[in-house]
């Protein structure tokens, strides 16, 4: 369905405006007139995109495209300025009128203070900077790396005066943020350094599926590389699709899952898209074993990452809290879509470049055939992440995910310790039934532990939602850390 020509520039459905002497509403000539009067939606590419499948269209960063069909959420049909048409991932473009700062290399949107510090330290260039959304809504922060007197990152709030001008130092005010950045590119004007460069070649986000309406992947188009690890379902290998897109390929051990049901569900799962969820690209379902193809996450499982970097992470509570907030955002998206994870734990989250953390394997537990994993009495059942109603009645809900999330927060703040140590499953069940919970991790802020405890309320109704939890965590991070 071609809808966009009937939309106004803000994307809202337009009401036809009938000038004096116009055609009768609803007649073909009136419709033609409406079409010619209403401006088509124009979008700007935020990233380059290389079309691989026929029917898709390549995008060039900063170029403009006219939207022909935006009736599907993730893939829109657009026209470039040479008249070529095709599908593009909708998360790679932004409506021209709403683009704001997103067209600038230096703007990193809602990257946290901690992630901006990691990014700039990794770049290690004097005067390297980004502008990000401040944790106070509507405000922006400039994060700037300097080596003087020692390598560190300074954060400056971009303020506005009574004339609505922007400034970092009151002596130098500008009418827009880009003008202000431009000014400080030439004059340090009180900053620790002049603004010199910003991180380039930042990774583009994953697309919902590898192409428009595609979830079945031809295994011959996958080049398989080294093994990334192995889990409940079998071996996971790094790969490339059609020689250009990095993927992770999970080769499902035969007999471990009800494959037909999962393949049906995969069509829905490819459409779940969020910055903090590992993107499912599709499946190779024609051969056995079936392959599950997902976004590749370069630092692997969060659990291993926490254990490997314990020394540096344990002294950076802000970074740990930021990881929890990221996971909470991904879970809030699942909650909004009435999707239950059922096996949320640090081992099922992955870490990518720029310290991004994403939730993986959501909903997969439903298709496991192994009784030892699915029944709460089984040896592989994630008892230590399960609330009383799951232990007693196998009653899963977003609130049982919340309990597991509390345990996951505990794993993060202990840098990957095993919850309840060496206690046997039966002993853990006894404790949970008696209301005995995990202890506060060493060095963990009381405010953070209080949030974990709310997740472990015995009654599911008393536990917060992910949406609510996200706000609480952001408030705590504002209270105990500086933005
Ligand atoms: P799993 O079967 O999901 O438990 O995966 C087993 C291991 O493979 C994980 O612990 C990771 O180290 C690795 N792995 C799984 N998925 C990915 C991915 N998308 N990107 C990178 N590594 C992964």
């Amino acid at each position: 369905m071609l809808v966009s020509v009937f939309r106004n520039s803000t994307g809202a459905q337009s009401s036809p405006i009938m000038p004096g002497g116009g055609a009768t509403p609803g007649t073909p000539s009136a419709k033609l007139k409406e079409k010619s009067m209403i401006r088509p939606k124009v979008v700007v590419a935020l990233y380059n995109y290389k079309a691989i499948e026929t029917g898709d269209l390549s995008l060039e960063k900063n170029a403009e495209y006219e939207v022909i069909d935006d009736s599907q959420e993730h893939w829109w049909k657009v026209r470039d300025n040479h008249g070529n048409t095709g599908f593009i991932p909708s998360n790679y473009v932004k409506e021209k009128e709403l683009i704001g700062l997103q067209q600038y290399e230096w703007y990193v949107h809602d990257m946290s203070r901690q992630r901006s510090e990691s990014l700039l330290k990794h770049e290690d260039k004097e005067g390297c900077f980004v502008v990000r959304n401040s944790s106070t809504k509507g405000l922006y922060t400039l994060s700037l790396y300097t080596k003087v007197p020692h390598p560190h990152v300074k954060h400056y709030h971009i303020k506005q005066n009574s004339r609505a001008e922007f400034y970092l130092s009151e002596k130098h005010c500008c009418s827009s943020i880009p003008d202000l950045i431009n000014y400080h590119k030439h004059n340090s004007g009180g900053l620790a350094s002049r603004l010199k460069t910003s991180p380039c070649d930042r990774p583009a986000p994953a697309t919902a599926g590898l192409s428009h309406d595609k979830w079945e992947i031809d295994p011959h188009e996958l080049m398989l590389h080294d093994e990334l690890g192995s889990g409940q379902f079998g071996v996971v290998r790094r790969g490339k699709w059609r020689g250009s897109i990095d993927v992770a390929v999970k080769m499902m051990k035969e007999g471990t899952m009800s494959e037909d049901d999962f393949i049906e569900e995969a069509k829905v799962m490819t459409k779940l898209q969020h910055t903090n969820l590992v993107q499912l690209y599709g499946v190779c379902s024609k051969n056995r074993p079936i392959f599950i193809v997902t976004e590749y996450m370069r630092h692997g499982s969060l659990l291993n990452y926490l254990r490997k970097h314990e020394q540096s992470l344990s002294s950076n509570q802000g970074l740990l809290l930021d990881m929890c907030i990221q996971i909470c955002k991904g879970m809030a998206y699942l909650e909004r879509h009435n999707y239950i994870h059922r096996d949320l734990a640090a081992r099922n989250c992955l870490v990518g470049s720029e310290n991004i953390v994403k939730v993986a394997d959501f909903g997969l537990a439903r298709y496991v055939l192994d009784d030892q994993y699915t029944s709460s009495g089984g040896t592989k059942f994630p008892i230590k992440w399960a609330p009383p109603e799951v232990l007693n009645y196998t009653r899963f809900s977003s609130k049982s995910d919340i309990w597991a999330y509390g345990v996951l927060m505990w794993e993060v703040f202990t840098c990957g310790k095993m919850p309840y140590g060496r206690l046997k499953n039966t002993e853990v069940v006894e404790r949970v039934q008696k209301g005995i919970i995990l202890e506060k991790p060493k060095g963990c802020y009381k405010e953070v532990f209080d949030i974990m405890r709310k997740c472990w309320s015995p009654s599911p109704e008393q536990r917060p939602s992910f949406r609510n939890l996200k706000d609480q965590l952001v408030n705590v991070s504002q209270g105990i850390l500086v933005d």
Side-chain angles (χ1 to χ4, degrees), residues 194-257:
R194 189 163 64 74
L195 306 180
K196 292 184 182 162
T197 174
S198 39
C200 44
D201 294 331
R202 301 200 45 239
T207 55
L210 290 166
S211 171
H212 158 251
D213 245 352
K214 182 182 178 75
W215 56 272
E216 178 68 49
I217 295 169
D218 180 350
H220 297 107
E221 295 177 347
L222 286 173
M223 180 104 86
L224 295 175
H225 302 298
D226 45 314
E227 189 176 316
L228 295 168
S230 68
Q232 169 73 22
F233 301 105
V235 170
V236 182
R237 285 177 69 178
R238 191 166 65 86
K240 259 210 193 304
W241 180 68
R242 293 211 184 172
S244 87
I245 297 182
D246 288 320
V247 294
V249 181
K250 207 175 261 198
M251 299 156 144
M252 307 302 281
K253 250 188 279 174
E254 278 180 77
T256 54
M257 83 182 316

Side-chain angles (χ1 to χ4, degrees), residues 158-171:
I158 299 180
K159 301 199 183 87
Q160 266 185 298
N161 63 18
S162 55
R163 294 192 300 280
E165 291 169 327
F166 296 91
Y167 66 90
L168 289 159
S169 127
E170 264 170 305
K171 280 190 225 149

Side-chain angles (χ1 to χ4, degrees), residues 41-233:
K41 180 155 106 178
V42 175
V43 291
V44 178
L46 302 171
Y47 310 93
N48 290 323
Y49 171 72
K50 190 165 156 253
I52 302 178
E53 284 281 349
T54 36
D56 292 344
L57 186 74
S58 291
L59 292 174
E60 195 185 316
K61 192 173 156 68
N62 291 331
E64 293 182 11
Y65 300 82
E66 188 184 313
V67 179
I68 303 169
D69 179 2
D70 60 1
S71 57
Q72 291 176 39
E73 191 182 351
H74 302 297
W75 291 87
W76 290 351
K77 195 166 189 183
V78 301
R79 180 181 291 115
D80 68 15
N81 53 15
H82 305 292
N84 304 310
T85 62
F87 284 96
I88 52 111
S90 60
N91 58 333
Y92 275 50
V93 294
K94 185 88 185 171
E95 216 169 306
K96 190 180 172 187
E97 314 218 340
L98 304 176
I99 192 157
L101 297 179
Q102 272 182 270
Q103 61 190 296
Y104 297 99
E105 215 48 59
W106 38 259
Y107 179 59
V108 292
H109 212 254
D110 57 2
M111 183 180 277
S112 65
R113 173 192 174 95
Q114 294 75 23
R115 285 185 56 218
S116 73
E117 286 187 359
S118 308
L119 175 65
L120 294 171
K121 282 180 186 162
H122 182 74
E123 291 279 315
D124 194 25
K125 288 185 195 135
E126 178 68 22
C128 194
F129 73 100
V130 293
V131 173
R132 57 188 176 83
N133 296 352
S134 165
S135 51
T136 315
K137 243 191 162 84
L139 297 183
Y140 298 93
T141 301
L142 169 83
S143 301
L144 169 64
Y145 180 77
T146 176
K147 295 185 182 179
V148 185
H150 55 84
H152 69 295
V153 176
K154 291 205 70 142
H155 303 273
Y156 303 90
H157 280 143
I158 299 180
K159 301 199 183 87
Q160 266 185 298
N161 63 18
S162 55
R163 294 192 300 280
E165 291 169 327
F166 296 91
Y167 66 90
L168 289 159
S169 127
E170 264 170 305
K171 280 190 225 149
H172 314 289
C173 301
C174 295
S175 58
S176 70
I177 293 180
D179 282 352
L180 183 69
I181 296 302
N182 211 22
Y183 172 81
H184 286 283
K185 277 186 174 175
H186 298 97
N187 311 278
S188 65
L191 304 183
S193 157
R194 189 163 64 74
L195 306 180
K196 292 184 182 162
T197 174
S198 39
C200 44
D201 294 331
R202 301 200 45 239
T207 55
L210 290 166
S211 171
H212 158 251
D213 245 352
K214 182 182 178 75
W215 56 272
E216 178 68 49
I217 295 169
D218 180 350
H220 297 107
E221 295 177 347
L222 286 173
M223 180 104 86
L224 295 175
H225 302 298
D226 45 314
E227 189 176 316
L228 295 168
S230 68
Q232 169 73 22
F233 301 105

Side-chain angles (χ1 to χ4, degrees), residues 228-232 234 236 248 250 278 294-297 300-301 350 361:
L228 295 168
S230 68
Q232 169 73 22
V236 182
K250 207 175 261 198
V278 173
T294 68
E295 173 182 9
Y296 167 65
M297 300 287 287
S301 106
L350 295 166
D361 290 345

